């Protein structure tokens, strides 16, 4: 790989079906080289995943900067504390240490929605916005990032708010729409209840909606009936990788 990637940070997006990574140009908030994807091992235990990270990084021998990794769970000081939609072996794992050892690189682990939130606020839909921005990702679960004046409050986990006696993400994540074969209208009703709850609790300036389904935002966002401005994410599937690389770089400085 080219020497231009030397010292450039690397972002890894660890998802249920694929592990994707690329060196990231932090001036532009874009991949510095084309992204590579490897299937997520099943079961996706920490050790099996660490081996895939090493394989992925080996494809970019010129990239020597810090490595950021997204994890779909609570992460405090590199240790994973929850695993709602991933292998339960992650709970209690010191992922920073495991991956740093497994890859020989300086690895910093961050919650997936927090990474997406950082990326959207720095480079994407919420660029330059002040006040409280809540970035939500609608996928298998619901991820959330609370960003106030550009500063992240990590691990907000607002996908697990209880609404009408249910874990919110079980009813309103994109996976619930698919599982229950909901129309856009019916799904939007659930999203309305969800975002209204967030409005009541936080009175944010702006909601940003990410996750794969956000590319179809035209179909459902206009149907979400709330007071607060709500807009689709812009970085789409680059947000995790870009945000992870940004997080890793900021963690080192
Ligand atoms: C997890 C969060 C994660 C979100 C999106 C939730 O189930 O608890 O940590 O950010 O899913 O992956």
């Amino acid at each position: 790989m080219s020497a231009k990637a030397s010292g450039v940070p690397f972002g890894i997006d660890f998802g249920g079906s694929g592990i994707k990574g690329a060196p990231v140009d932090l001036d532009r908030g874009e991949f510095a080289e084309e992204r590579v994807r490897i299937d997520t091992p099943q079961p996706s235990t920490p050790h099996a995943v660490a081996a895939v990270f090493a394989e992925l990084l080996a494809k970019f021998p010129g990239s020597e900067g810090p490595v950021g990794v997204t994890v779909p769970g609570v992460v405090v000081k590199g240790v994973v504390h929850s695993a709602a939609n991933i292998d339960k072996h992650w709970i209690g794992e010191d992922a920073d240490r495991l991956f740093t050892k497994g890859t020989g690189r300086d690895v910093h682990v961050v919650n997936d929605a927090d990474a997406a939130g950082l990326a959207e606020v720095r480079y994407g839909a919420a660029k330059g916005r002040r006040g409280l921005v809540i970035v939500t990702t609608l996928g298998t679960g619901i991820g959330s990032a609370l960003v106030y004046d550009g500063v992240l409050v990590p691990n907000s986990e607002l996908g697990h708010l209880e609404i009408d006696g249910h874990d919110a993400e079980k009813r309103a994540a994109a996976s619930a729409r698919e599982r229950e074969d909901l129309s856009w209208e019916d799904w939007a009703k659930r999203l309305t209840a969800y975002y209204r709850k967030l409005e009541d609790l936080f009175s944010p300036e702006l909601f940003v909606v990410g996750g794969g389904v956000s590319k179809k935002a035209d179909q459902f966002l206009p149907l979400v009936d709330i007071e607060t401005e709500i807009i689709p994410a812009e970085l789409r599937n680059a947000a995790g990788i870009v945000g992870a690389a940004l997080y890793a770089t900021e963690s080192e400085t």
Side-chain angles (χ1 to χ4, degrees), residues 116-129 133 135 147 149-151:
L118 284 175
E120 289 296 335
V121 169
R122 183 71 64 93
Y123 308 106
K127 186 174 172 186
R129 296 290 294 249
V133 175
V135 179
V147 186
D149 282 356
V151 177

Side-chain angles (χ1 to χ4, degrees), residues 98-186:
L98 175 76
F99 297 149
T100 296
K101 209 168 146 220
T103 62
R105 299 280 291 271
D106 211 350
V107 182
H108 301 270
V109 178
V110 58
N111 171 265
D112 56 357
D114 283 346
L118 284 175
E120 289 296 335
V121 169
R122 183 71 64 93
Y123 308 106
K127 186 174 172 186
R129 296 290 294 249
R130 310 285 295 176
L132 180 62
V133 175
I134 302 185
V135 179
T136 52
T137 60
L138 304 176
T140 308
I142 296 181
S144 65
L146 288 186
V147 186
Y148 185 79
D149 282 356
V151 177
L152 174 73
V153 180
N155 296 310
S156 47
E157 290 292 318
L158 301 177
H160 298 296
L161 284 177
E162 188 179 311
I163 298 184
D164 297 332
H166 298 275
D167 189 24
E169 72 173 21
K170 294 278 180 299
R171 311 241 320 145
S175 60
R177 185 182 76 84
E178 286 162 17
R179 192 174 55 241
E180 299 180 44
D181 200 17
L182 298 175
S183 63
W184 292 112
E185 287 74 16
D186 285 342

Side-chain angles (χ1 to χ4, degrees), residues 70-86:
T70 69
V71 168
V74 171
V75 184
V76 181
K77 293 188 183 135
V79 177
V80 179
H81 287 266
S82 75
N85 297 304
I86 51 172

